[in-house]
Amino acid sequence: QMLVDLGLISGYSDGSFRPASYITREEVAKLIAILCTENPQAPADVYFYDAQNSWALTYIGYCAGEGIIGGDGLGSFRPKDNVTAQELAKMLLVILGQDPETYSGAGWAERVNADAQSFGIYYGLTAQVSQPVTRDNACLLIYNAMRCPAIADPDAQGLDRYVLDDLMNPRSYLEVRYDLTRYTAVLTGNEYADLTTNDGKLAAGTTKLAGHKEFAVLSDLSLLGRTVDIYMKDGRVVGIPCYVTSEVYYTFENAQALSKLLAGGALTIADDAQYYLNYNEAGSEILTRSGVRLTVIDHDNDTQLDTILAVSCEQAEITSVSPLRVKVGDEELDAEKYCLTDAFSAGERVWYMEIGGQGFVQPMSGN
């Protein structure tokens, strides 16, 4: 959605996006060029003999002139070839401000992978980085990179100096390139529930962050209680709310599973932790309650759990995907996705929960 809102992607003329299809080198060249500037121009001295008839010739030339992409050393670019995740990550690291020479020569892939992992560009990617990247995974990597701090210029000693805002906080590439304003805080309410009011919820299509005004944007139930980023420009939300990647987040199918984790000593519960049962304020007694799934959140990654969410749930079976319906015991009910990105199939066993008189389903596997 962010890439659509920024005009980076538009899909095909038939209204499809084809997320599982592989992305080509010429398609990536266009994405990267537009990601860098609104009006990419190709230098006259850049030439690839096999790209002269490509619709993306200008974009290819621009990226080559900026040192973002290169050919095969034989004068060809191979515009129709697929792009691997690590090749795309290399381009994204360069547009963030990294020196392109860092990722050339022997061992370039290992250096790219190390930096992409460190920057968070690979966050959420489950595919092999050395394999061709699909269109949806390309969007994932680009989005991750746009949320990374933009580098003003690399220090001679290898220490990165970031572009800072008025408060000396690093600015993301999204903020620098597109002049967006970022709001980061715990999501406390939306149209499904409100953590600040028992049995309350907000108006449809509304999201509230702690310490901020309400935003006119939809967010799903899974984001309640999590730290999220919301980007704004000219009074409108760009993209959709997304959780910050530095936050530690676990889901457990019962309280016993959480107890085992806490017994290991790697995580503890903060003295001022906030507890919720079905998104209403509660106490620590929910840790011994049966028939609930527990979500625990460490907002600042200090190994102390700040928020514990318990939701009453029971097992169910998907009977229909569109519309989404489930069978709970002998009863068939309408339901919505707990997380908008979840995908279900008929016959699948899921967790069913009812919040505010509305049913939601979640995959059996935990996060």
Side-chain angles (χ1 to χ4, degrees), residues 2-3 5-9 30-38 95 142 146 171-181 231-234 238:
M2 177 67 79
L3 270 61
D5 287 355
L6 295 176
L8 289 166
I9 61 173
K30 177 186 177 181
L31 274 171
I32 295 298
I34 297 177
L35 191 57
C36 292
T37 177
E38 293 181 3
I95 70 165
I142 293 169
M146 289 194 297
R171 299 182 72 205
S172 68
Y173 188 82
L174 272 172
E175 295 168 85
V176 173
R177 167 67 175 88
Y178 295 100
D179 197 29
L180 304 186
T181 300
Y231 289 90
M232 298 277 293
K233 186 171 185 178
D234 300 329
V238 181

Side-chain angles (χ1 to χ4, degrees), residues 314-336:
E314 51 189 324
Q315 294 189 27
E317 181 181 326
I318 300 289
T319 58
S320 170
V321 174
S322 183
L324 187 59
R325 292 181 61 82
V326 296
K327 186 176 182 180
V328 183
D330 295 327
E331 189 175 8
E332 189 167 339
L333 304 169
D334 293 325
E336 291 196 25

Side-chain angles (χ1 to χ4, degrees), residues 207-322:
T207 294
K208 181 77 166 60
L209 299 187
H212 295 287
K213 62 179 183 179
E214 294 180 357
F215 297 86
V217 64
L218 175 69
S219 57
D220 61 42
L221 193 60
S222 72
L223 291 180
L224 273 168
R226 299 200 62 178
T227 304
V228 304
D229 287 330
I230 291 181
Y231 289 90
M232 298 277 293
K233 186 171 185 178
D234 300 329
R236 299 184 64 181
V237 175
V238 181
I240 60 176
C242 186
Y243 52 80
V244 302
T245 57
S246 59
E247 189 174 69
V248 178
Y249 168 88
Y250 297 103
T251 297
F252 298 93
E253 296 186 356
N254 52 59
Q256 290 74 25
L258 172 59
S259 297
K260 290 181 180 179
L261 178 68
L262 295 175
L267 290 175
T268 59
I269 297 178
D271 292 338
D272 58 351
Q274 295 178 296
Y275 298 86
Y276 299 91
L277 175 62
N278 297 330
Y279 301 98
N280 291 328
E281 287 190 24
S284 59
E285 69 276 0
I286 65 173
L287 295 177
T288 59
R289 189 182 180 96
S290 60
V292 298
R293 281 173 60 81
L294 291 169
T295 296
V296 298
I297 307 169
D298 174 6
H299 293 303
D300 47 11
N301 199 7
D302 64 354
T303 73
Q304 289 196 319
L305 302 177
D306 305 298
T307 300
I308 293 90
L309 297 166
V311 179
S312 302
C313 60
E314 51 189 324
Q315 294 189 27
E317 181 181 326
I318 300 289
T319 58
S320 170
V321 174
S322 183

Side-chain angles (χ1 to χ4, degrees), residues 93-144:
L93 286 164
V94 173
I95 70 165
L96 287 177
Q98 295 285 59
D99 184 353
E101 292 301 317
T102 304
Y103 310 118
S104 62
W108 72 269
E110 289 78 5
R111 293 189 292 276
V112 165
N113 292 338
D115 285 353
Q117 194 70 44
S118 175
F119 273 68
I121 293 175
Y122 286 156
Y123 186 86
L125 181 69
T126 57
Q128 294 293 319
V129 297
S130 60
Q131 297 300 310
V133 66
T134 56
R135 290 168 59 83
D136 55 356
N137 279 333
C139 289
L140 171 66
L141 266 59
I142 293 169
Y143 180 64
N144 285 344

